[in-house]
Amino acid sequence: MTVATLFTPQIMPELDATYMGTDINDQTEQTAIDTMLDADSDDTDFMDEQVDSTLSDTQALTESAHFRKLQKKLRRQVSWAIRDFNMIEDGDVVMVCVSGGKDSYTLLDILLLLKRIAPIHFDIVAVNLDQKQPGYPEEVLPAYLNEQGIAHYILEKDTYSIVKSVVPEGKTYCSACSRLRRGSLYGFAKQIGATKIALGHHRDDMLATFFLNLFHGGALKSMPPKLLSDDKQNMLIRPLAYVEEKDIIEYASLKAFPIIPCNLCGSQTNLQRAIINDMLREWDDAHPQRLASIFKAMQNVAPSQLADRELFDFETLSLERDDNERLFEGDNIQAGQTESLAEIGLPVMPKTQVFNPKFADAEKGSRSPQKIPTINPVI
């Protein structure tokens, strides 16, 4: 069975009411609530109690419907990302890296939901790396995973001390911390036989990384939705690639995940990534479609329109002109220094013509030969 089959999920009847929207019972209850609110009674105290109860029930119904709508949105976006990049296949063992932050909690939760409704089989195991940061509440994550009945490993390794010892004072820890964490998790994935490593990076993380590389790295690159490690021993996937951070924040709040803040690098000031994130949030507030457009551009790369000589062969570009002559479509051509033009071998009296629809049809397949050609003002 293919990944395309997997991530056009067939919602089972018993799950449909839970995850897909308000069910018949909710509608019946809502009708009863409306009736009660419109009713008239001589017993004012009794009616007040009923109204209070009704308003509470109405609020609960509204909140429940909102949660299901948000969960459905995230499920669809994750499904689309997995389908588009062939992230999960039948028989995969997916190692979900859980840090205790909102992103990894959301990733784990949505993948567990998809596992229940997918027509193919894949397993999920949660893995957390306890880096022995001072004050780290090491009991929180195991308690949550045990309560939810989620298979998991807690890896203990004092990378905190290593990072503190190798990073100069005043420098950020993120890069060194990330490399140490990644190395430990890569090796463990191979050790337990996990075929995919799922990371909680979302769309806004990918955009921030793009601008970090653009502004400070001199490269057009970001976090890819799917990546083969350099040693070709591990496959990384980012199922939240299409998900916006603000939706994750809301989902994590509604689910009341036990969030564990990162006190190692999160407390450092002047982090370039934080500055970029502030910029993206300002853009999103002022221009709601801008980030979506930028992310779409990352999926629509035109190598011939950039300047990477490795990506596109500019050196061997050559003309392939035919015998059709296209005269200048205008009223007149003034030629100056005709002797110099003649020495070069250029015509001293170039011909002109009126608009020729033949070229418009040939170049653009225009359906309207009378359409006035567009002139690029930059040119």
Side-chain angles (χ1 to χ4, degrees):
M1 191 168 298
T2 65
V3 71
T5 305
L6 164 58
F7 290 104
T8 307
Q10 301 297 317
I11 308 302
M12 295 182 291
E14 62 270 26
L15 293 174
D16 184 68
T18 305
Y19 297 106
M20 297 298 289
T22 305
D23 60 15
I24 295 175
N25 292 331
D26 284 346
Q27 295 173 3
T28 303
E29 188 173 351
Q30 184 66 54
T31 302
I33 291 172
D34 292 339
T35 303
M36 289 172 61
L37 287 173
D38 292 337
D40 188 15
S41 172
D42 294 333
D43 190 344
T44 305
D45 293 337
F46 174 77
M47 189 58 193
D48 287 343
E49 293 177 0
Q50 294 296 315
V51 169
D52 290 341
S53 175
T54 295
L55 291 174
S56 177
D57 291 344
T58 303
Q59 183 178 4
L61 282 171
T62 302
E63 292 176 351
S64 177
H66 175 71
F67 169 77
R68 288 196 296 269
K69 182 178 180 181
L70 177 60
Q71 187 179 63
K72 180 179 179 180
K73 177 183 179 181
L74 297 186
R75 178 182 59 79
R76 283 184 169 179
Q77 289 176 330
V78 171
S79 298
W80 290 337
I82 294 174
R83 175 201 62 196
D84 290 350
F85 296 97
N86 192 26
M87 292 184 182
I88 298 178
E89 300 171 276
D90 190 31
D92 269 337
V93 177
V94 182
M95 188 180 96
V96 182
C97 299
V98 183
S99 65
K102 66 183 188 318
D103 305 331
S104 58
Y105 273 127
T106 299
L107 172 64
L108 178 62
D109 194 71
I110 297 299
L111 286 181
L112 287 170
L113 170 60
L114 288 175
K115 173 179 167 58
R116 295 174 61 186
I117 62 179
I120 70 168
H121 174 77
F122 62 96
D123 290 311
I124 292 176
V125 57
V127 175
N128 168 256
L129 178 60
D130 179 355
Q131 298 177 268
K132 298 305 176 183
Q133 299 177 24
Y136 179 76
E138 58 185 23
E139 73 286 348
V140 172
L141 199 50
Y144 171 79
L145 296 172
N146 283 322
E147 180 184 351
Q148 301 297 318
I150 300 172
H152 67 276
Y153 295 97
I154 305 295
L155 312 179
E156 299 184 24
K157 184 175 183 178
D158 187 5
T159 61
Y160 173 83
S161 298
I162 300 174
V163 171
K164 294 286 286 185
S165 65
V166 300
V167 177
E169 191 68 28
K171 298 294 184 179
T172 58
Y173 303 135
C174 294
S175 179
C177 177
S178 176
R179 287 197 301 272
L180 287 170
R181 185 172 61 248
R182 189 164 56 239
S184 298
L185 293 172
Y186 281 14
F188 188 70
K190 186 177 180 181
Q191 180 182 345
I192 64 174
T195 54
K196 302 288 172 59
I197 301 175
L199 304 177
H201 299 123
H202 47 71
R203 187 203 70 175
D204 294 5
D205 285 329
M206 297 168 68
L207 289 174
T209 303
F210 172 80
F211 283 105
L212 278 172
N213 283 307
L214 179 66
F215 295 160
H216 304 288
L220 287 177
K221 65 178 183 179
S222 180
M223 298 174 173
K226 185 178 180 181
L227 175 69
L228 182 63
S229 61
D230 292 340
D231 61 5
K232 305 188 186 309
Q233 301 297 303
N234 287 288
M235 185 73 71
L236 276 69
I237 58 174
R238 295 183 171 97
L240 298 180
Y242 292 164
V243 180
E244 300 175 57
E245 183 177 28
K246 59 187 177 184
D247 287 337
I248 294 176
I249 293 173
E250 184 176 10
Y251 187 76
S253 176
L254 292 172
K255 290 285 290 187
F257 293 133
I259 304 298
I260 303 174
C262 176
N263 296 320
L264 177 60
C265 56
S267 59
Q268 292 185 278
T269 58
N270 298 323
L271 290 174
Q272 291 299 331
R273 182 173 288 274
I275 296 172
I276 295 293
N277 285 333
D278 289 341
M279 179 191 75
L280 294 179
R281 279 189 286 270
E282 290 178 6
W283 283 356
D284 194 38
D285 291 339
H287 310 280
Q289 295 303 314
R290 177 174 291 181
L291 298 189
S293 178
I294 296 172
F295 187 74
K296 183 178 180 181
M298 291 170 58
Q299 304 173 63
N300 187 26
V301 179
S304 65
Q305 308 302 304
L306 297 173
D308 190 331
R309 291 175 294 151
E310 299 295 328
L311 199 61
F312 187 80
D313 186 6
F314 294 97
E315 185 177 352
T316 60
L317 285 179
S318 60
L319 293 174
E320 296 182 7
R321 285 180 172 171
D322 54 32
D323 294 332
N324 290 327
E325 184 179 24
R326 180 169 185 172
L327 305 181
F328 173 69
E329 297 162 0
D331 301 323
N332 186 38
I333 298 175
Q334 297 184 36
Q337 297 294 321
T338 55
E339 292 183 0
S340 298
L341 291 172
E343 288 179 5
I344 300 172
L346 302 180
V348 296
M349 297 181 62
K351 298 178 181 178
T352 64
Q353 68 177 13
V354 296
F355 173 62
N356 188 342
K358 175 181 70 173
F359 291 101
D361 290 342
E363 292 179 1
K364 300 182 180 180
S366 174
R367 295 181 180 180
S368 176
Q370 303 303 320
K371 183 178 179 180
I372 298 176
T374 301
I375 299 176
N376 188 336
V378 176
I379 297 176

